[in-house]
Every structure is written in C-alpha cells, then in structure tokens.
Amino acid sequence: MLKQTIAAQLDLLHYLERGAVHLAAGMSIPEEAACEQEADEQWRTGSGTVYTFDFDGWSLNLHFDPEKNFSHDTIDFFGHCDLPGFSDIAGPLQAASAFEGATHFDLGDEQVVLLPSSVTVHFRKEEGDVQVLTKIAGALLPHGALADYYRSMLQR
C-alpha cells in the first residue's frame, strides 16, 4: 500500500517545495514497520536503517534513525522516469530557475541546486558534458547549514 501510494501521488515539484516525499504525496510521516513490510531492500548504516522502494527509472530511499524515527528521504534516478515534474527539473538550470531563491553549486563533477525548502537536486556530467539528474535529497538540515556545507566543498 505504501509503495502504491507513493507511485500514484508523488509529484516532484511538490517534493521540491515541501522538502519530503511524504509531504509531497499527501501522506503521514512514514513508519518503519510499514517500510519493513513493503521495501524492495533494506540495509543498516551507522545512523540507522534505509528502506529502498524500486520503481521504473527511480528508487526512493527512506532513512530512519536508530530509534526508528523517520529522518529523511532521497530519490535516485536511473535515466528518464515518468514522475510528474521530472521534465521540469531535468537540468541544473531548469531546477535552479524553477524556484526563486535557489542556489547553484558547481562542484566539478557534480552540480547541486539547493532549494529554499532545503532539498538538494544533484546532477552529474555524462558523455558530452551533459548534466543528468541523478538524485534528489529531501530536507536533512536547515537551509543555512546546507549552504555552508556546499560552500565549504567549493573551497577544497
């Protein structure tokens, strides 16, 4: 049920505005027990457990802390997908111009767009220097902390 709801209701533009998949899909905060039953895979990290839900062209990762509380989410892309809003943000300039107040960071092999919602949109160079959408990371830290983190990456 969780996987079907996400697939049917997720709009990427709403996700970028609201900062989390469950908010964009009109759902309550994900619970680890529901994820455990439906996830395509799961793994433990030093900071908790990650549950992955695989879809056509993309995967959703829901992260939980050791106390089983929802932490954040990420979406990985594997080429084009048919999620609503995908074509609106398929390039770094499109993603940056879609939201007022977006900040663009050129990290060399990766372009990151930080949105006012604290969501980050990640692009990697492929053949011919084409930037390809590879990941969206939901809000994990406050906007200012994320901006400072990416600015520090530029100084390396």
Side-chain angles (χ1 to χ4, degrees):
M1 182 81 150
L2 177 65
K3 186 173 180 176
Q4 291 173 339
T5 301
I6 291 167
Q9 295 182 193
L10 181 60
D11 181 306
L12 289 178
L13 294 177
H14 290 139
Y15 178 34
L16 299 180
E17 291 170 352
R18 295 182 178 129
V21 165
H22 68 282
L23 297 175
M27 302 166 37
S28 59
I29 296 173
E31 294 184 14
E32 189 168 3
C35 293
E36 203 166 341
Q37 295 172 2
E38 292 187 49
D40 294 304
E41 55 185 293
Q42 68 177 344
W43 68 92
R44 299 214 185 282
T45 68
S47 59
T49 306
V50 179
Y51 296 90
T52 299
F53 299 84
D54 296 325
F55 301 93
D56 188 25
W58 61 287
S59 292
L60 169 64
N61 304 295
L62 297 177
H63 300 251
F64 291 83
D65 67 19
E67 289 78 38
K68 300 183 183 241
N69 297 310
F70 174 74
S71 169
H72 66 285
D73 53 59
T74 58
I75 296 177
D76 297 315
F77 296 96
F78 312 103
H80 185 79
C81 75
D82 60 358
L83 276 172
F86 181 86
S87 60
D88 296 319
I89 59 162
L93 295 177
Q94 288 172 285
S97 65
F99 293 91
E100 189 174 322
T103 308
H104 182 260
F105 298 93
D106 183 348
L107 304 177
D109 65 337
E110 182 178 27
Q111 305 289 315
V112 178
V113 178
L114 172 60
L115 302 176
S117 63
S118 296
V119 170
T120 54
V121 186
H122 302 253
F123 301 86
R124 291 231 179 239
K125 285 184 183 176
E126 291 200 350
E127 278 187 46
D129 287 338
V130 173
Q131 297 288 330
V132 176
L133 177 61
T134 57
K135 180 180 195 166
I136 297 176
L140 173 61
L141 298 171
H143 185 272
L146 285 168
D148 290 344
Y149 170 76
Y150 286 109
R151 279 189 209 100
S152 75
M153 297 284 291
L154 292 172
Q155 296 172 0
R156 293 183 181 179

